[in-house]
């Protein structure tokens, strides 16, 4: 891993500490389920200045070995398999073996605790007092629960999160191009279809256009398709968008390519996900239909049948995590909102206000002002030195 320059890291630790001081020291513990990337130590440092970091659960598909070694030397750290993250027994063991007599706040990405939160909380005498969720997929999971007995604060739909999401699309295209260059496949001029035209899909489509790709967009929301058309992209019928694509980008947050679609896509198509987890493509159906698999590189696998083939990048996992996800300090603004939301979460718990909540306009304004003052040079209007 290429580490941040010392000045950069020190600046970010300073920023995170200043955010943590607005909350103050509390007699609580944190269990963090997070991507294990270079920004994680900064977030954990801030949490440790507010309470005790009881455990860190690292998501395996977004794991930097150097970061894992760094945090493992300081915190109790778990590295599960993906199926274990969906296992009530495994999550229960993590919580039970990590918790103390303190109240516990879960800080997570992906909504992994959502289905089991009641039984998990019962296991430690209802000391889980709240959850902070970072992702759209997790937000949807908690939104589907109308019986939550704890507060959940989500930053997934925050305007501050939108700033981060806007650069994930281009970061993903960078990773796709880097992967394909390794097998001498230029991305320029490809017919590309983007499935999902939210913040990430829109950024991906724009980045593809800068590579001289012919870009089509499909979204289940007709308003999104109109917006894509207004932005200058083709919006053909879904089957045509799939059948004409050399490259299909999944950016919907749902399963955007189903088993039935595998008969529609052209042979040799490249599939790449800009979403979270392994949700965009029916990977099990791909393996069943294309029974011969050949790992061309550590990022690209060829799946073949007797009549057709396709290339699947990163086994359907998000491609951008291979290259550090978001570049620059933008992730810090999302973390600032997460840290500041701890105060709101504690207030909601004390007032017995349960269910899914937004962080609030005041927290967003404070996070934005603090971030701008730390990372942006007000004269040039650009990132300050060592940001």
């Amino acid at each position: 891993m290429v580490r941040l320059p010392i000045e950069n890291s020190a600046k970010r630790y300073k920023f995170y500490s200043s955010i943590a001081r607005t909350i103050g020291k509390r007699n609580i513990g944190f269990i963090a389920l997070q991507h294990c990337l270079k920004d994680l130590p900064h977030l954990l440092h801030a949490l440790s200045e507010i309470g005790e970091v009881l455990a860190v659960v690292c998501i395996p598909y977004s794991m930097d070995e150097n970061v894992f070694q760094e945090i493992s030397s300081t915190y109790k750290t778990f590295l599960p398999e993906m199926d274990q993250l969906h296992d009530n027994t495994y999550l229960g063991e993590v919580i039970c073996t990590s918790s103390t007599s303190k109240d516990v706040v879960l800080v997570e990405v992906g909504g992994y605790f959502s289905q089991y939160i009641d039984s998990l909380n019962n296991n430690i005498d209802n000391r889980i007092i709240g959850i902070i969720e970072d992702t759209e997929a997790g937000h949807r999971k908690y939104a589907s629960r109308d019986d939550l007995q704890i507060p959940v604060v989500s930053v997934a739909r925050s305007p501050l999160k939108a700033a981060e999401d806007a650069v994930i699309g281009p970061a993903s295209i960078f990773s796709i191009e880097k992967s394909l260059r390794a097998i001498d496949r230029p991305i320029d001029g490809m017919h590309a279809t983007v499935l999902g035209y939210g913040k990430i899909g829109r950024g991906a489509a724009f980045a593809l256009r800068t590579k001289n790709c012919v870009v089509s967009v499909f979204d289940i929301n007709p308003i999104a398709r109109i917006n894509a058309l207004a932005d200058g992209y083709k919006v053909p019928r879904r089957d045509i968008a799939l059948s004409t694509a050399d490259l299909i980008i999944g950016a919907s947050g749902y399963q955007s390519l189903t088993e039935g679609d595998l008969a529609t896509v052209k042979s040799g198509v490249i599939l790449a996900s800009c979403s979270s987890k392994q949700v965009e493509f029916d990977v099990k159906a791909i393996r069943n239909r294309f029974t011969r698999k050949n790992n061309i590189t550590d990022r690209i696998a060829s799946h073949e049948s007797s009549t057709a083939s396709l290339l699947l990048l990163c086994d359907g996992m998000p491609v951008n995590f291979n290259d550090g996800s978001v570049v620059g300090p933008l992730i810090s603004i999302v973390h600032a909102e997460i840290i500041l939301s701890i105060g709101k979460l504690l207030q909601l718990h004390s007032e017995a206000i349960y269910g899914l909540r937004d962080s609030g306009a005041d927290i967003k304004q404070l996070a934005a002002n603090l971030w701008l003052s730390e990372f942006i040079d007000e004269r040039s209007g650009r990132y300050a030195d060592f940001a």
Side-chain angles (χ1 to χ4, degrees), residues 102-323:
K102 294 179 179 180
D103 289 336
V104 176
V105 173
L106 305 178
V107 184
E108 75 151 324
V109 294
Y112 292 97
F113 293 110
S114 60
Q115 183 179 351
Y116 312 114
I117 189 59
D118 299 323
S119 60
L120 295 174
N121 208 3
N122 288 335
N123 289 342
I124 59 169
D125 300 323
N126 295 310
R127 291 199 310 277
I128 299 174
I129 62 172
I131 300 171
I132 298 177
E133 171 59 49
D134 184 21
T135 66
E136 175 64 24
H139 181 104
R140 292 171 185 166
K141 290 180 181 179
Y142 285 111
S144 70
R145 292 284 310 269
D146 56 7
D147 57 344
L148 288 168
Q149 297 302 305
I150 58 173
V152 178
V153 176
S154 169
V155 304
R157 297 182 179 179
S158 166
L160 300 181
K161 176 73 172 177
E164 177 196 352
D165 287 344
V167 298
I168 290 177
S172 298
I173 302 308
F174 169 85
S175 294
I176 292 168
E177 184 175 30
K178 181 178 177 181
S179 299
L180 293 177
R181 278 173 177 263
I183 60 171
D184 201 27
R185 290 286 295 272
I187 196 173
D188 303 76
M190 283 187 178
H191 286 249
T193 290
V194 178
L195 299 175
Y197 200 66
K199 297 180 289 291
I200 295 175
R202 188 172 189 172
F206 175 80
L208 286 165
R209 186 156 59 186
T210 67
K211 299 296 179 183
N212 299 313
C213 293
V214 179
V215 183
S216 297
V217 170
F218 183 83
D219 194 296
I220 59 174
N221 184 343
I223 297 173
R225 296 204 298 276
I226 291 172
N227 288 332
L229 181 65
D231 288 338
Y233 304 109
K234 297 181 177 182
V235 288
R237 202 172 65 215
R238 184 174 180 276
D239 61 327
I240 294 175
L242 293 177
S243 64
T244 57
D246 305 307
L247 170 64
I248 295 176
I249 306 291
S252 69
Y254 298 96
Q255 188 177 95
S256 56
L257 193 76
T258 67
E259 180 177 9
D261 295 326
L262 296 177
T264 300
V265 300
K266 66 164 65 173
S267 181
V269 68
I270 302 163
L271 305 182
S273 171
C274 300
S275 185
S276 62
K277 307 181 213 176
Q278 203 178 35
V279 300
E280 293 291 334
F281 310 129
D282 190 337
V283 175
K284 182 178 179 181
I286 290 172
R287 292 168 180 163
N288 289 338
R289 186 180 184 92
F290 301 92
T291 54
R292 296 192 302 275
K293 179 183 177 183
N294 177 31
N295 291 319
I296 301 174
T297 71
D298 60 344
R299 298 188 184 188
I300 303 174
S302 172
H303 294 260
E304 302 174 0
S305 69
S306 58
T307 58
S309 67
L310 59 80
L311 296 181
L312 181 63
L313 270 59
C314 302
D315 203 32
M317 298 290 186
V319 293
N320 60 303
F321 287 115
N322 287 282
D323 299 294

Side-chain angles (χ1 to χ4, degrees), residues 10-24 42 45-47 49-50 332 335-336 339-340 366-367 369-375:
K11 190 177 186 71
R12 296 193 191 188
Y13 275 121
K14 177 180 172 230
F15 173 70
Y16 279 67
S17 290
S18 69
I19 298 294
R21 282 195 296 272
T22 66
I23 305 300
H42 302 92
H45 173 74
L47 297 179
E49 292 198 340
I50 298 170
S332 302
H335 284 166
I339 297 162
L340 291 171
L366 178 58
N369 282 325
L370 291 171
W371 187 88
L372 286 168
S373 66
E374 186 67 39
F375 292 109

